[in-house]
Amino acid sequence: MSFLEREAIGIGATIEEAQQAACRQLGMETHEVEFEVLQMPEKKKFGLFGGAPAKVRAYISITPASAAADYLREILEKMGAQGVQINIEEVEGGAVLNLSGDNIGFIIGHRGETLDALQYLTGLVANHVDNSYYRITINTGNYREKREKTLESLARKMAIKAVKTGRNSSLEPMNPYERRIIHTTVQKVNGAISWSEGENMGRHVVIGPDPKVKQSFRPRREGGRPRNNNFRSRSQSQDGTKGEAAAGAGTQPRPEIKKNAAAYEKIVPGIPAQPKPVQEKKPVKDESPVSPLYGKIEPKKGE
């Protein structure tokens, strides 16, 4: 890892005095620096001749991560956040500064804007140490992990919507880290793509359907619902003839429908069956003359 060193030479009658003199020059405490003894103290001979004071070299190694942490600690103190613990976690190509302490929720800000601003400034300080790219991430209370899951869920939902509707959707402006999360998630949804638009603070992600993939959505007509050639209106039955819903009032259902009211309701939903009204049976008047139980017996001829 690249690093720089700050050093100071301290001189004193004893080693301890020389160390304290060197620390005062660095503005650090003795437990924060490392020492190298350059010269041991020597007493004068006979109290008059010779002798030499102690000389030590105090130095501290400055890494991009430590420089960023020192700068962040100074800013937080001026913001009124006292006693904030900064734990440096070295990762490939950079470091994560994990913050912990009491009442530090205000450091996050609205949708992480304050945290992102602090992260940007500390990143600039870290990159000035050896003039190379060194990525600094600031996290507190697992906010980054929670935000990442929220963005992944949003990206997946908007990508599926774009595939179904065939329309583009623009998200709110985000920093490069959050835009990268959106792009990675959208790539996992078949038929959806994403790209960035805008400049500086207004740069945002747009999610839309992939023109290279055949879409299953149907275009919408102006002022109406999607065109569907397989759609049948209620005025047309399965055999292509006009049904009862469009025939007008007073039209009697077909014979096969009258026999089964449930089938009629299934074919034309929402229109109840119209059974034939039951007519009261009138007594039949027998107009034939009253005849006796046995008719008149006629004798056969020839008897």
Side-chain angles (χ1 to χ4, degrees):
M1 178 185 298
S2 300
F3 62 90
L4 299 176
E5 285 188 354
R6 290 177 56 195
E7 65 177 10
I9 305 299
I11 299 176
T14 62
I15 297 294
E16 290 76 11
E17 292 180 1
Q19 290 177 344
Q20 293 176 359
C23 289
R24 284 194 296 268
Q25 298 179 44
L26 294 175
M28 308 290 290
E29 299 293 335
T30 54
H31 64 275
E32 296 177 330
V33 300
E34 298 181 26
F35 297 99
E36 179 185 359
V37 177
L38 302 178
Q39 177 178 294
M40 296 295 294
E42 295 181 2
K43 294 182 179 181
K44 293 182 179 181
K45 295 179 180 179
F46 307 107
L48 299 173
F49 306 102
K55 183 182 295 185
V56 298
R57 170 177 172 264
Y59 63 94
I60 55 175
S61 299
I62 303 177
T63 65
S66 62
D70 293 340
Y71 178 75
L72 178 60
R73 187 178 294 106
E74 181 179 356
I75 292 181
L76 293 178
E77 290 178 356
K78 292 182 179 180
M79 291 175 62
Q82 303 294 332
V84 178
Q85 302 290 332
I86 302 178
N87 180 33
I88 302 176
E89 179 183 354
E90 298 284 349
V91 296
E92 183 178 357
V96 178
L97 306 183
N98 294 300
L99 308 182
S100 59
D102 298 332
N103 302 322
I104 60 174
F106 73 96
I107 298 177
I108 298 176
H110 178 64
R111 294 181 178 176
E113 292 179 353
T114 304
L115 199 65
D116 291 339
L118 293 173
Q119 180 173 288
Y120 174 75
L121 294 175
T122 53
L124 293 178
V125 173
N127 290 323
H128 279 307
V129 172
D130 57 358
N131 295 324
S132 63
Y133 180 73
Y134 191 85
R135 182 176 178 179
I136 292 292
T137 302
I138 302 179
N139 193 13
T140 176
N142 295 326
Y143 170 78
R144 295 297 182 189
E145 290 79 1
K146 297 175 182 178
R147 177 65 172 170
E148 182 175 350
K149 292 181 180 179
T150 301
L151 292 175
E152 289 177 349
S153 177
L154 174 64
R156 191 178 302 107
K157 178 180 178 181
M158 300 305 294
I160 295 175
K161 180 180 178 181
V163 174
K164 290 183 177 180
T165 63
R167 295 188 175 186
N168 299 337
S169 298
S170 299
L171 304 182
E172 62 184 14
M174 299 178 185
N175 58 47
Y177 171 73
E178 294 184 344
R179 293 199 304 268
R180 192 179 303 110
I181 295 175
I182 297 294
H183 292 313
T184 303
T185 305
V186 173
Q187 290 177 358
K188 300 177 183 178
V189 179
N190 186 27
I193 58 174
S194 62
W195 63 94
S196 297
E197 294 182 355
E199 300 293 337
N200 300 327
M201 298 301 294
R203 194 157 181 81
H204 59 279
V205 177
V206 181
I207 302 176
D210 189 352
K212 298 180 181 179
V213 179
K214 184 178 180 181
Q215 306 294 340
S216 60
F217 64 88
R218 295 182 176 88
R220 297 179 64 91
R221 294 180 298 175
E222 296 184 0
R225 52 185 165 183
R227 184 183 300 276
N228 189 342
N229 296 330
N230 297 327
F231 175 77
R232 290 190 181 92
S233 62
R234 292 184 178 179
S235 62
Q236 186 177 4
S237 62
Q238 295 181 353
D239 57 359
T241 60
K242 291 186 176 180
E244 288 73 14
T251 303
Q252 295 297 329
R254 297 194 301 271
E256 62 273 16
I257 297 180
K258 291 198 298 180
K259 294 180 180 179
N260 191 345
Y264 180 77
E265 174 67 17
K266 183 177 180 181
I267 295 175
V268 187
I271 302 179
Q274 300 177 1
K276 185 176 182 180
V278 180
Q279 298 180 357
E280 297 182 359
K281 294 183 179 181
K282 297 181 179 179
V284 180
K285 183 177 181 182
D286 190 3
E287 299 179 353
S288 61
V290 179
S291 59
L293 182 61
Y294 299 101
K296 183 178 180 182
I297 300 174
E298 298 285 343
K300 295 182 179 181
K301 295 182 180 182
E303 290 183 357

